[in-house]
Short mmCIF file of all heavy atoms in Angstrom, two decimals:
data_model
loop_
_atom_site.label_atom_id
_atom_site.label_comp_id
_atom_site.label_asym_id
_atom_site.label_seq_id
_atom_site.Cartn_x
_atom_site.Cartn_y
_atom_site.Cartn_z
N MET A 1 0.86 -1.19 0.00
CA MET A 1 0.00 0.00 0.00
C MET A 1 0.90 1.24 0.00
O MET A 1 1.86 1.33 0.74
CB MET A 1 -0.89 -0.02 1.25
CG MET A 1 -1.86 1.10 1.32
SD MET A 1 -2.88 1.09 2.81
CE MET A 1 -3.55 -0.53 2.79
N LYS A 2 0.53 2.18 -0.83
CA LYS A 2 1.32 3.39 -0.95
C LYS A 2 1.12 4.28 0.28
O LYS A 2 0.10 4.21 0.95
CB LYS A 2 0.92 4.15 -2.20
CG LYS A 2 1.23 3.42 -3.48
CD LYS A 2 0.80 4.22 -4.68
CE LYS A 2 1.10 3.46 -5.95
NZ LYS A 2 0.63 4.15 -7.13
N LEU A 3 2.12 5.11 0.53
CA LEU A 3 2.08 6.01 1.68
C LEU A 3 0.85 6.91 1.63
O LEU A 3 0.17 7.09 2.65
CB LEU A 3 3.36 6.84 1.73
CG LEU A 3 3.45 7.85 2.87
CD1 LEU A 3 3.33 7.14 4.22
CD2 LEU A 3 4.76 8.61 2.79
N LYS A 4 0.53 7.45 0.46
CA LYS A 4 -0.64 8.34 0.34
C LYS A 4 -1.92 7.60 0.72
O LYS A 4 -2.78 8.15 1.42
CB LYS A 4 -0.74 8.89 -1.07
CG LYS A 4 -1.87 9.90 -1.25
CD LYS A 4 -1.74 10.63 -2.55
CE LYS A 4 -2.88 11.57 -2.79
NZ LYS A 4 -2.86 12.76 -1.99
N GLU A 5 -2.06 6.35 0.31
CA GLU A 5 -3.23 5.55 0.67
C GLU A 5 -3.29 5.32 2.17
O GLU A 5 -4.36 5.39 2.78
CB GLU A 5 -3.20 4.22 -0.06
CG GLU A 5 -3.43 4.33 -1.55
CD GLU A 5 -3.18 3.02 -2.29
OE1 GLU A 5 -2.61 2.08 -1.70
OE2 GLU A 5 -3.57 2.93 -3.45
N GLN A 6 -2.14 5.04 2.76
CA GLN A 6 -2.10 4.82 4.22
C GLN A 6 -2.49 6.09 4.96
O GLN A 6 -3.25 6.04 5.93
CB GLN A 6 -0.70 4.36 4.64
CG GLN A 6 -0.37 2.96 4.19
CD GLN A 6 1.06 2.58 4.52
OE1 GLN A 6 1.98 3.37 4.33
NE2 GLN A 6 1.25 1.37 5.00
N LEU A 7 -1.97 7.23 4.51
CA LEU A 7 -2.31 8.50 5.14
C LEU A 7 -3.80 8.80 4.99
O LEU A 7 -4.44 9.27 5.94
CB LEU A 7 -1.49 9.64 4.53
CG LEU A 7 -0.03 9.69 4.96
CD1 LEU A 7 0.72 10.73 4.14
CD2 LEU A 7 0.10 10.00 6.44
N ASN A 8 -4.36 8.53 3.82
CA ASN A 8 -5.79 8.77 3.62
C ASN A 8 -6.62 7.92 4.58
O ASN A 8 -7.61 8.39 5.14
CB ASN A 8 -6.18 8.47 2.17
CG ASN A 8 -5.75 9.56 1.23
OD1 ASN A 8 -5.49 10.69 1.64
ND2 ASN A 8 -5.67 9.24 -0.04
N LYS A 9 -6.23 6.65 4.77
CA LYS A 9 -6.97 5.79 5.70
C LYS A 9 -6.86 6.30 7.12
O LYS A 9 -7.84 6.30 7.87
CB LYS A 9 -6.45 4.35 5.60
CG LYS A 9 -6.91 3.64 4.37
CD LYS A 9 -6.51 2.20 4.37
CE LYS A 9 -7.06 1.51 3.13
NZ LYS A 9 -6.95 0.07 3.20
N LEU A 10 -5.68 6.73 7.51
CA LEU A 10 -5.50 7.26 8.87
C LEU A 10 -6.31 8.54 9.07
O LEU A 10 -6.92 8.74 10.12
CB LEU A 10 -4.01 7.50 9.16
CG LEU A 10 -3.17 6.25 9.29
CD1 LEU A 10 -1.70 6.61 9.36
CD2 LEU A 10 -3.58 5.42 10.50
N GLU A 11 -6.32 9.41 8.06
CA GLU A 11 -7.11 10.64 8.15
C GLU A 11 -8.60 10.32 8.26
O GLU A 11 -9.32 10.96 9.01
CB GLU A 11 -6.83 11.54 6.95
CG GLU A 11 -5.47 12.18 6.99
CD GLU A 11 -5.10 12.93 5.71
OE1 GLU A 11 -5.77 12.72 4.67
OE2 GLU A 11 -4.14 13.69 5.76
N THR A 12 -9.04 9.32 7.52
CA THR A 12 -10.43 8.90 7.60
C THR A 12 -10.76 8.39 8.99
O THR A 12 -11.80 8.73 9.56
CB THR A 12 -10.73 7.82 6.53
OG1 THR A 12 -10.48 8.38 5.25
CG2 THR A 12 -12.17 7.34 6.62
N ASN A 13 -9.87 7.57 9.54
CA ASN A 13 -10.08 7.07 10.91
C ASN A 13 -10.20 8.22 11.89
O ASN A 13 -11.07 8.20 12.78
CB ASN A 13 -8.94 6.15 11.33
CG ASN A 13 -9.12 4.73 10.86
OD1 ASN A 13 -10.22 4.31 10.57
ND2 ASN A 13 -8.03 4.00 10.77
N LEU A 14 -9.34 9.20 11.76
CA LEU A 14 -9.40 10.37 12.64
C LEU A 14 -10.75 11.07 12.51
O LEU A 14 -11.36 11.42 13.52
CB LEU A 14 -8.30 11.37 12.26
CG LEU A 14 -6.98 11.25 12.97
CD1 LEU A 14 -6.01 12.29 12.42
CD2 LEU A 14 -7.12 11.39 14.45
N THR A 15 -11.19 11.28 11.30
CA THR A 15 -12.46 11.98 11.06
C THR A 15 -13.62 11.22 11.68
O THR A 15 -14.46 11.81 12.36
CB THR A 15 -12.68 12.15 9.54
OG1 THR A 15 -11.59 12.91 9.00
CG2 THR A 15 -13.98 12.86 9.26
N VAL A 16 -13.66 9.91 11.44
CA VAL A 16 -14.77 9.10 11.95
C VAL A 16 -14.77 9.10 13.48
O VAL A 16 -15.82 9.33 14.10
CB VAL A 16 -14.69 7.66 11.40
CG1 VAL A 16 -15.66 6.75 12.13
CG2 VAL A 16 -14.97 7.66 9.91
N HIS A 17 -13.63 8.86 14.08
CA HIS A 17 -13.59 8.80 15.53
C HIS A 17 -13.86 10.17 16.16
O HIS A 17 -14.52 10.25 17.20
CB HIS A 17 -12.26 8.22 16.00
CG HIS A 17 -12.16 6.75 15.70
ND1 HIS A 17 -11.60 6.28 14.54
CD2 HIS A 17 -12.61 5.67 16.37
CE1 HIS A 17 -11.68 4.96 14.53
NE2 HIS A 17 -12.30 4.56 15.62
N SER A 18 -13.40 11.23 15.53
CA SER A 18 -13.70 12.57 16.03
C SER A 18 -15.20 12.84 15.97
O SER A 18 -15.77 13.43 16.89
CB SER A 18 -12.96 13.62 15.20
OG SER A 18 -11.58 13.49 15.37
N HIS A 19 -15.84 12.39 14.90
CA HIS A 19 -17.28 12.58 14.75
C HIS A 19 -18.02 11.84 15.86
O HIS A 19 -18.95 12.38 16.46
CB HIS A 19 -17.71 12.09 13.37
CG HIS A 19 -19.14 12.35 13.05
ND1 HIS A 19 -19.67 13.61 12.99
CD2 HIS A 19 -20.16 11.50 12.75
CE1 HIS A 19 -20.95 13.54 12.69
NE2 HIS A 19 -21.28 12.27 12.54
N ILE A 20 -17.61 10.62 16.14
CA ILE A 20 -18.26 9.84 17.20
C ILE A 20 -18.08 10.52 18.56
O ILE A 20 -19.03 10.63 19.34
CB ILE A 20 -17.73 8.39 17.22
CG1 ILE A 20 -18.16 7.66 15.94
CG2 ILE A 20 -18.21 7.65 18.46
CD1 ILE A 20 -17.47 6.34 15.71
N ILE A 21 -16.88 11.00 18.84
CA ILE A 21 -16.63 11.69 20.10
C ILE A 21 -17.50 12.94 20.20
O ILE A 21 -18.08 13.22 21.25
CB ILE A 21 -15.13 12.04 20.25
CG1 ILE A 21 -14.34 10.76 20.51
CG2 ILE A 21 -14.90 13.06 21.35
CD1 ILE A 21 -12.85 10.92 20.45
N ASN A 22 -17.63 13.67 19.10
CA ASN A 22 -18.49 14.86 19.11
C ASN A 22 -19.93 14.50 19.41
O ASN A 22 -20.62 15.21 20.16
CB ASN A 22 -18.39 15.61 17.77
CG ASN A 22 -17.08 16.33 17.61
OD1 ASN A 22 -16.38 16.62 18.57
ND2 ASN A 22 -16.72 16.61 16.37
N LEU A 23 -20.41 13.40 18.83
CA LEU A 23 -21.78 12.95 19.11
C LEU A 23 -21.96 12.65 20.60
O LEU A 23 -22.98 12.99 21.20
CB LEU A 23 -22.12 11.72 18.28
CG LEU A 23 -22.29 11.93 16.78
CD1 LEU A 23 -22.37 10.60 16.05
CD2 LEU A 23 -23.51 12.79 16.49
N ILE A 24 -20.96 12.01 21.18
CA ILE A 24 -21.01 11.68 22.61
C ILE A 24 -21.00 12.97 23.44
O ILE A 24 -21.81 13.15 24.35
CB ILE A 24 -19.84 10.76 23.00
CG1 ILE A 24 -20.00 9.40 22.33
CG2 ILE A 24 -19.73 10.62 24.53
CD1 ILE A 24 -18.75 8.52 22.38
N ASP A 25 -20.08 13.87 23.09
CA ASP A 25 -19.95 15.13 23.83
C ASP A 25 -21.22 15.98 23.74
O ASP A 25 -21.52 16.73 24.67
CB ASP A 25 -18.76 15.93 23.32
CG ASP A 25 -17.42 15.31 23.71
OD1 ASP A 25 -17.41 14.39 24.56
OD2 ASP A 25 -16.39 15.74 23.15
N GLU A 26 -21.95 15.85 22.65
CA GLU A 26 -23.19 16.61 22.48
C GLU A 26 -24.35 15.99 23.27
O GLU A 26 -25.45 16.51 23.27
CB GLU A 26 -23.57 16.68 21.00
CG GLU A 26 -22.64 17.53 20.18
CD GLU A 26 -22.86 17.39 18.68
OE1 GLU A 26 -23.76 16.63 18.26
OE2 GLU A 26 -22.12 18.05 17.93
N GLY A 27 -24.10 14.86 23.92
CA GLY A 27 -25.11 14.25 24.78
C GLY A 27 -26.04 13.28 24.07
O GLY A 27 -27.07 12.90 24.63
N ASN A 28 -25.68 12.87 22.87
CA ASN A 28 -26.51 11.89 22.16
C ASN A 28 -26.48 10.55 22.88
O ASN A 28 -25.45 10.17 23.45
CB ASN A 28 -26.01 11.72 20.72
CG ASN A 28 -26.26 12.95 19.89
OD1 ASN A 28 -27.37 13.21 19.49
ND2 ASN A 28 -25.22 13.72 19.66
N ASP A 29 -27.59 9.83 22.83
CA ASP A 29 -27.61 8.52 23.48
C ASP A 29 -26.99 7.48 22.55
O ASP A 29 -26.77 7.72 21.37
CB ASP A 29 -29.01 8.13 23.92
CG ASP A 29 -29.98 7.91 22.78
OD1 ASP A 29 -29.54 7.82 21.62
OD2 ASP A 29 -31.17 7.81 23.05
N ILE A 30 -26.72 6.32 23.10
CA ILE A 30 -26.01 5.28 22.38
C ILE A 30 -26.76 4.82 21.13
O ILE A 30 -26.14 4.49 20.11
CB ILE A 30 -25.68 4.09 23.32
CG1 ILE A 30 -24.63 3.17 22.69
CG2 ILE A 30 -26.91 3.31 23.68
CD1 ILE A 30 -23.26 3.76 22.64
N ARG A 31 -28.07 4.83 21.17
CA ARG A 31 -28.84 4.38 19.99
C ARG A 31 -28.71 5.36 18.83
O ARG A 31 -28.61 4.95 17.68
CB ARG A 31 -30.31 4.18 20.36
CG ARG A 31 -30.49 2.96 21.22
CD ARG A 31 -31.93 2.77 21.61
NE ARG A 31 -31.98 1.79 22.69
CZ ARG A 31 -32.94 0.93 22.84
NH1 ARG A 31 -33.96 0.92 22.02
NH2 ARG A 31 -32.91 0.08 23.84
N SER A 32 -28.72 6.64 19.12
CA SER A 32 -28.57 7.61 18.03
C SER A 32 -27.14 7.60 17.50
O SER A 32 -26.93 7.75 16.28
CB SER A 32 -28.99 9.02 18.46
OG SER A 32 -28.18 9.49 19.50
N ILE A 33 -26.17 7.40 18.37
CA ILE A 33 -24.77 7.29 17.93
C ILE A 33 -24.61 6.04 17.06
O ILE A 33 -23.97 6.08 16.01
CB ILE A 33 -23.81 7.26 19.13
CG1 ILE A 33 -23.85 8.61 19.86
CG2 ILE A 33 -22.39 6.92 18.67
CD1 ILE A 33 -23.16 8.62 21.20
N ARG A 34 -25.24 4.95 17.48
CA ARG A 34 -25.18 3.71 16.69
C ARG A 34 -25.81 3.92 15.32
O ARG A 34 -25.29 3.47 14.29
CB ARG A 34 -25.89 2.58 17.42
CG ARG A 34 -25.79 1.25 16.71
CD ARG A 34 -26.60 0.16 17.41
NE ARG A 34 -26.37 -1.12 16.82
CZ ARG A 34 -26.87 -1.53 15.64
NH1 ARG A 34 -27.62 -0.72 14.93
NH2 ARG A 34 -26.60 -2.73 15.16
N ALA A 35 -26.93 4.63 15.27
CA ALA A 35 -27.60 4.89 14.00
C ALA A 35 -26.70 5.69 13.06
O ALA A 35 -26.63 5.39 11.86
CB ALA A 35 -28.92 5.63 14.24
N VAL A 36 -26.01 6.67 13.58
CA VAL A 36 -25.07 7.45 12.76
C VAL A 36 -23.97 6.54 12.23
O VAL A 36 -23.62 6.59 11.05
CB VAL A 36 -24.47 8.63 13.57
CG1 VAL A 36 -23.31 9.26 12.81
CG2 VAL A 36 -25.54 9.65 13.87
N CYS A 37 -23.44 5.67 13.09
CA CYS A 37 -22.38 4.75 12.67
C CYS A 37 -22.87 3.79 11.59
O CYS A 37 -22.16 3.54 10.61
CB CYS A 37 -21.83 3.97 13.86
SG CYS A 37 -20.88 5.00 15.01
N VAL A 38 -24.07 3.27 11.75
CA VAL A 38 -24.63 2.36 10.74
C VAL A 38 -24.77 3.10 9.41
O VAL A 38 -24.43 2.55 8.36
CB VAL A 38 -25.99 1.78 11.22
CG1 VAL A 38 -26.72 1.10 10.08
CG2 VAL A 38 -25.76 0.82 12.37
N ASN A 39 -25.25 4.33 9.45
CA ASN A 39 -25.39 5.11 8.21
C ASN A 39 -24.02 5.35 7.56
O ASN A 39 -23.89 5.26 6.34
CB ASN A 39 -26.07 6.45 8.49
CG ASN A 39 -27.55 6.29 8.77
OD1 ASN A 39 -28.15 5.30 8.39
ND2 ASN A 39 -28.11 7.27 9.44
N MET A 40 -23.01 5.63 8.37
CA MET A 40 -21.66 5.84 7.85
C MET A 40 -21.13 4.56 7.22
O MET A 40 -20.50 4.59 6.16
CB MET A 40 -20.73 6.34 8.97
CG MET A 40 -21.05 7.74 9.45
SD MET A 40 -20.24 8.19 11.00
CE MET A 40 -18.53 8.18 10.55
N ILE A 41 -21.36 3.43 7.86
CA ILE A 41 -20.92 2.13 7.34
C ILE A 41 -21.61 1.84 6.01
O ILE A 41 -20.96 1.45 5.04
CB ILE A 41 -21.19 1.02 8.37
CG1 ILE A 41 -20.24 1.15 9.55
CG2 ILE A 41 -21.08 -0.37 7.73
CD1 ILE A 41 -20.63 0.31 10.75
N ASN A 42 -22.92 2.02 5.96
CA ASN A 42 -23.67 1.75 4.73
C ASN A 42 -23.22 2.65 3.59
O ASN A 42 -23.01 2.19 2.46
CB ASN A 42 -25.17 1.90 4.97
CG ASN A 42 -25.71 0.80 5.85
OD1 ASN A 42 -25.15 -0.28 5.95
ND2 ASN A 42 -26.82 1.08 6.50
N TYR A 43 -23.05 3.94 3.88
CA TYR A 43 -22.60 4.89 2.86
C TYR A 43 -21.22 4.50 2.35
O TYR A 43 -20.98 4.46 1.13
CB TYR A 43 -22.59 6.31 3.42
CG TYR A 43 -21.99 7.30 2.46
CD1 TYR A 43 -22.72 7.80 1.39
CD2 TYR A 43 -20.67 7.73 2.62
CE1 TYR A 43 -22.17 8.69 0.50
CE2 TYR A 43 -20.10 8.62 1.73
CZ TYR A 43 -20.86 9.10 0.67
OH TYR A 43 -20.29 9.99 -0.22
N THR A 44 -20.31 4.21 3.26
CA THR A 44 -18.94 3.85 2.89
C THR A 44 -18.93 2.57 2.05
O THR A 44 -18.22 2.49 1.05
CB THR A 44 -18.06 3.70 4.14
OG1 THR A 44 -18.09 4.92 4.88
CG2 THR A 44 -16.63 3.36 3.77
N GLY A 45 -19.72 1.59 2.45
CA GLY A 45 -19.80 0.35 1.69
C GLY A 45 -20.28 0.58 0.27
O GLY A 45 -19.74 -0.01 -0.67
N GLU A 46 -21.28 1.44 0.11
CA GLU A 46 -21.78 1.75 -1.22
C GLU A 46 -20.72 2.47 -2.05
O GLU A 46 -20.56 2.19 -3.24
CB GLU A 46 -23.05 2.59 -1.14
CG GLU A 46 -24.27 1.82 -0.67
CD GLU A 46 -24.59 0.64 -1.56
OE1 GLU A 46 -24.60 0.80 -2.80
OE2 GLU A 46 -24.83 -0.46 -1.03
N GLN A 47 -20.00 3.40 -1.44
CA GLN A 47 -18.95 4.12 -2.15
C GLN A 47 -17.83 3.18 -2.60
O GLN A 47 -17.30 3.30 -3.70
CB GLN A 47 -18.38 5.26 -1.30
CG GLN A 47 -19.37 6.37 -1.02
CD GLN A 47 -19.92 6.98 -2.28
OE1 GLN A 47 -19.18 7.42 -3.14
NE2 GLN A 47 -21.24 7.01 -2.42
N ILE A 48 -17.48 2.23 -1.75
CA ILE A 48 -16.46 1.24 -2.10
C ILE A 48 -16.93 0.41 -3.30
O ILE A 48 -16.16 0.18 -4.24
CB ILE A 48 -16.13 0.33 -0.89
CG1 ILE A 48 -15.37 1.13 0.15
CG2 ILE A 48 -15.34 -0.90 -1.33
CD1 ILE A 48 -15.23 0.43 1.49
N LYS A 49 -18.17 -0.04 -3.28
CA LYS A 49 -18.72 -0.82 -4.41
C LYS A 49 -18.65 -0.02 -5.71
O LYS A 49 -18.27 -0.55 -6.76
CB LYS A 49 -20.16 -1.22 -4.13
CG LYS A 49 -20.33 -2.31 -3.13
CD LYS A 49 -21.81 -2.60 -2.93
CE LYS A 49 -22.05 -3.51 -1.75
NZ LYS A 49 -23.47 -3.69 -1.47
N ILE A 50 -19.02 1.24 -5.65
CA ILE A 50 -19.01 2.10 -6.83
C ILE A 50 -17.59 2.25 -7.36
O ILE A 50 -17.33 2.08 -8.56
CB ILE A 50 -19.62 3.48 -6.52
CG1 ILE A 50 -21.13 3.34 -6.29
CG2 ILE A 50 -19.33 4.48 -7.64
CD1 ILE A 50 -21.79 4.56 -5.68
N LEU A 51 -16.64 2.54 -6.48
CA LEU A 51 -15.26 2.71 -6.91
C LEU A 51 -14.69 1.44 -7.49
O LEU A 51 -13.98 1.47 -8.51
CB LEU A 51 -14.38 3.19 -5.74
CG LEU A 51 -14.58 4.64 -5.32
CD1 LEU A 51 -13.79 4.93 -4.05
CD2 LEU A 51 -14.15 5.58 -6.44
N LYS A 52 -14.99 0.30 -6.87
CA LYS A 52 -14.49 -0.98 -7.39
C LYS A 52 -15.09 -1.29 -8.75
O LYS A 52 -14.42 -1.85 -9.61
CB LYS A 52 -14.76 -2.11 -6.40
CG LYS A 52 -13.81 -2.09 -5.22
CD LYS A 52 -14.01 -3.29 -4.32
CE LYS A 52 -12.96 -3.31 -3.23
NZ LYS A 52 -13.10 -4.49 -2.38
N ALA A 53 -16.35 -0.92 -8.95
CA ALA A 53 -17.00 -1.15 -10.24
C ALA A 53 -16.39 -0.27 -11.33
O ALA A 53 -16.25 -0.66 -12.47
CB ALA A 53 -18.50 -0.90 -10.13
N GLU A 54 -16.02 0.95 -10.95
CA GLU A 54 -15.46 1.89 -11.91
C GLU A 54 -13.99 1.63 -12.20
O GLU A 54 -13.49 1.94 -13.27
CB GLU A 54 -15.63 3.33 -11.40
CG GLU A 54 -17.07 3.80 -11.37
CD GLU A 54 -17.23 5.16 -10.72
OE1 GLU A 54 -16.25 5.68 -10.14
OE2 GLU A 54 -18.35 5.70 -10.77
N HIS A 55 -13.29 1.10 -11.21
CA HIS A 55 -11.83 0.89 -11.33
C HIS A 55 -11.54 -0.58 -11.07
O HIS A 55 -11.34 -1.00 -9.95
CB HIS A 55 -11.08 1.77 -10.32
CG HIS A 55 -11.41 3.22 -10.45
ND1 HIS A 55 -10.77 4.03 -11.36
CD2 HIS A 55 -12.31 4.00 -9.82
CE1 HIS A 55 -11.26 5.25 -11.27
NE2 HIS A 55 -12.20 5.27 -10.34
N HIS A 56 -11.50 -1.33 -12.13
CA HIS A 56 -11.35 -2.78 -12.01
C HIS A 56 -9.97 -3.20 -11.51
O HIS A 56 -9.79 -4.36 -11.16
CB HIS A 56 -11.65 -3.44 -13.35
CG HIS A 56 -13.02 -3.12 -13.85
ND1 HIS A 56 -14.17 -3.61 -13.24
CD2 HIS A 56 -13.45 -2.34 -14.86
CE1 HIS A 56 -15.23 -3.15 -13.87
NE2 HIS A 56 -14.84 -2.38 -14.86
N ASP A 57 -9.03 -2.27 -11.45
CA ASP A 57 -7.69 -2.60 -10.98
C ASP A 57 -7.55 -2.51 -9.47
O ASP A 57 -6.50 -2.81 -8.92
CB ASP A 57 -6.65 -1.70 -11.65
CG ASP A 57 -6.93 -0.21 -11.42
OD1 ASP A 57 -8.09 0.15 -11.18
OD2 ASP A 57 -5.97 0.58 -11.49
N LEU A 58 -8.62 -2.16 -8.78
CA LEU A 58 -8.57 -2.07 -7.30
C LEU A 58 -8.75 -3.43 -6.67
O LEU A 58 -9.45 -4.26 -7.13
CB LEU A 58 -9.66 -1.11 -6.79
CG LEU A 58 -9.50 0.34 -7.17
CD1 LEU A 58 -10.68 1.15 -6.63
CD2 LEU A 58 -8.21 0.92 -6.63
#
């Protein structure tokens, strides 16, 4: 894996975890935080499918 790809993954991890912490700090309950995470997972999964379909070399 190239360095740029590794950095992008780490930056994504930072963004996701920061978002979750913000949800907690704002006083959201665990169910609403879970719902946000599920939506993020579903969206990311769909984006991965699209990219893989468009770029067969991935």
Side-chain angles (χ1 to χ4, degrees):
M1 183 182 306
K2 295 180 181 176
L3 179 58
K4 184 168 177 73
E5 291 171 347
Q6 289 174 317
L7 285 172
N8 284 340
K9 285 186 178 192
L10 290 171
E11 288 172 345
T12 299
N13 276 338
L14 268 178
T15 301
V16 169
H17 289 93
S18 295
H19 186 61
I20 293 168
I21 288 170
N22 287 339
L23 290 170
I24 293 167
D25 289 348
E26 291 170 1
N28 291 286
D29 66 13
I30 195 72
R31 288 178 194 215
S32 62
I33 294 168
R34 184 184 187 285
V36 169
C37 290
V38 167
N39 287 338
M40 291 166 65
I41 289 167
N42 290 337
Y43 173 79
T44 302
E46 288 301 314
Q47 294 303 306
I48 289 169
K49 286 179 190 174
I50 290 167
L51 286 173
K52 284 185 174 183
E54 292 174 352
H55 304 276
H56 302 291
D57 57 335
L58 293 178

